Amino acid sequence: MNEYGLIIHDGTASYVLIDRCPWCGTRLPPSLRDEWFDAVDALELDEGETPPARFLTRAWRLG
């Protein structure tokens, strides 16, 4: 998803999303979360149906 975060060490899987490198301040690549969900929604899958395998890897971005 091109999302980056800092782990919150509180015993859960929590993290804080960041959009800049914490060391140099360079902007990180934009999130692809909305694009991924739009692509999966366009498949019009039945509720509970698993997306095709290509959506579980980077392959979905290649078309």
Side-chain angles (χ1 to χ4, degrees):
M1 299 283 179
N2 268 6
E3 293 183 337
Y4 303 88
L6 300 175
I7 297 170
I8 299 173
H9 296 280
D10 63 356
T12 68
S14 299
Y15 62 95
V16 175
L17 284 175
I18 59 173
D19 63 355
R20 294 190 175 272
C21 172
W23 292 276
C24 70
T26 302
R27 183 166 290 283
L28 298 169
S31 171
L32 297 173
R33 181 174 296 274
D34 290 340
E35 187 178 333
W36 186 87
F37 278 100
D38 289 346
V40 171
D41 287 346
L43 298 174
E44 298 182 0
L45 301 174
D46 292 330
E47 176 130 3
E49 188 177 353
T50 303
R54 74 176 188 274
F55 284 92
L56 305 179
T57 67
R58 294 180 190 195
W60 70 273
R61 290 189 279 177
L62 304 175

